[in-house]
Amino acid sequence: MLRLGRREFGPHEPVIMAIVNRTPDSFYDRGATFRDEPALARVEQAVAEGAAIIDIGGVKAGPGEEVTAQEEARRTVGFVAEVRRRFPDVVISVDTWRAEVGEAVCEAGADLLNDAWGGVDPGLAEVAARHRVGLVCTHAGGAQPRTRPHRVTYDDVVADILDVTVGLAERAVALGVPRESVLIDPGHDFGKNTRHSLEATRRLDEMVATGWPVLVSLSNKDFVGETLDRPVKERLLGTLATTAVSAWLGARVYRVHEVAETRQVLEMVASIAGHRAPAVARRGLA
């Protein structure tokens, strides 16, 4: 059982996490949800399309202008409070690596801290434990926040992913984070080249076998773009193919930009796997 906020998710229930960037320079939407009203409209649409989690981020992952902790909090804390007020049952996640920001968003109503930079601030897990909220434990290859990988190597990238993420998850539980609210994430593109991310996808079942629920953040990422030689706005098909493979291998949570399309892929895979009945079954029966 995966338990986040007020929600519980069964072992074969795929969970969609919709991305809402409160940044003016996001690689994908270029600031489309930086202002409050477009961002709230995005939340409403994502929930209507089937997202159970809203992931709010105040700093883009890649290099760019410095964003202080105070500015990150300004972009996210009040928005978290408003989403909590308007959507009391939705799971609110905040994408941050900073403990002080985590503290502020938890006080505002966040249910999950999405630590995409692999525990670079060990205090973030302590915040999650203190507030009894969930935590995403990600492999970032030791990279510092907002840096790009350069000639990074691994003897075995998946072995490193397992060692780091399981270690972070066990530490979180030891600190007091509820075990049923901890997820692990292979960290596609983070501290990895394209071949590393492809191998992490191909061997995702090894992460699933640890027993920790696996979150994948695949949406329109560079490894998809490089694999198919496509710019950001032409990566949806590659993303959905990678999503289908990840679902077949047992991933539980999918962090995405395109909610409706992802939901169709996940429902189709679940039906093929025998975990979901077809929505309609008339063929050959009339």
Side-chain angles (χ1 to χ4, degrees):
M1 183 66 69
L2 174 63
R3 183 175 291 112
L4 299 169
R6 298 183 181 184
R7 301 287 300 276
E8 291 185 353
F9 304 97
H12 298 299
E13 182 178 0
V15 183
I16 297 176
M17 170 189 274
I19 300 166
V20 180
N21 290 312
R22 303 309 315 281
T23 61
D25 52 358
S26 164
F27 90 98
Y28 181 74
D29 61 33
R30 317 305 297 177
T33 53
F34 184 47
R35 294 186 299 108
D36 286 351
E37 286 311 312
L40 287 167
R42 160 70 175 158
V43 173
E44 184 172 5
Q45 178 186 9
V47 171
E49 290 178 346
I53 307 173
I54 301 297
D55 190 49
I56 299 163
V59 186
K60 78 169 186 176
E65 292 186 8
E66 179 186 3
V67 180
T68 65
Q70 292 74 22
E71 173 61 16
E72 182 184 358
R74 188 191 70 79
R75 295 176 179 182
T76 56
V77 175
F79 188 72
V80 167
E82 183 61 16
V83 173
R84 177 82 295 147
R85 185 183 72 81
R86 296 193 187 195
F87 303 91
D89 295 324
V90 77
V91 178
I92 299 176
S93 169
V94 176
D95 180 353
T96 185
W97 74 87
R98 291 165 163 151
E100 60 190 291
V101 175
E103 184 74 40
V105 297
C106 285
E107 290 177 357
D111 304 300
L112 176 65
L113 297 175
N114 182 10
D115 183 7
W117 289 102
V120 67
D121 183 347
L124 190 64
E126 297 169 11
V127 171
R130 187 160 54 251
H131 287 274
R132 302 289 291 174
V133 302
L135 183 70
V136 179
C137 300
T138 307
H139 180 272
Q144 289 300 303
R146 308 193 67 193
T147 61
R148 298 196 188 282
H150 179 69
R151 299 189 182 278
V152 62
T153 61
Y154 298 94
D155 292 333
D156 181 331
V157 65
V158 174
D160 202 78
I161 289 170
L162 293 172
D163 182 59
V164 170
T165 58
V166 171
L168 290 171
E170 290 176 345
R171 175 180 181 265
V173 172
L175 287 169
V177 180
R179 176 174 286 273
E180 65 274 16
S181 303
V182 176
L183 303 101
I184 60 175
D185 177 355
H188 288 80
D189 275 358
F190 281 63
K192 300 170 188 67
N193 62 31
T194 289
R195 288 181 175 85
H196 293 144
S197 292
L198 290 171
E199 183 171 356
T201 306
R202 185 164 59 248
R203 297 171 58 188
L204 197 68
D205 56 339
E206 295 178 43
M207 290 192 75
V208 173
T210 66
W212 297 100
V214 175
L215 179 150
V216 287
S217 184
L218 312 167
S219 193
N220 302 292
K221 283 196 166 179
D222 284 348
F223 83 96
V224 175
E226 287 194 355
T227 299
L228 301 176
D229 193 19
R230 290 290 185 267
V232 170
K233 291 298 183 178
E234 296 179 16
R235 297 176 183 175
L236 175 58
L237 291 178
T239 296
L240 295 177
T242 313
T243 298
V245 170
S246 300
W248 187 258
L249 294 176
R252 296 285 300 282
V253 180
Y254 304 81
R255 182 178 181 271
V256 304
H257 297 98
E258 292 92 357
V259 174
E261 295 87 342
T262 301
R263 182 177 179 179
Q264 287 190 46
V265 168
L266 295 177
E267 289 180 348
M268 192 70 198
V269 173
S271 295
I272 293 169
H275 303 316
R276 173 187 177 272
V280 178
R282 292 189 292 260
R283 183 173 175 80
L285 300 177

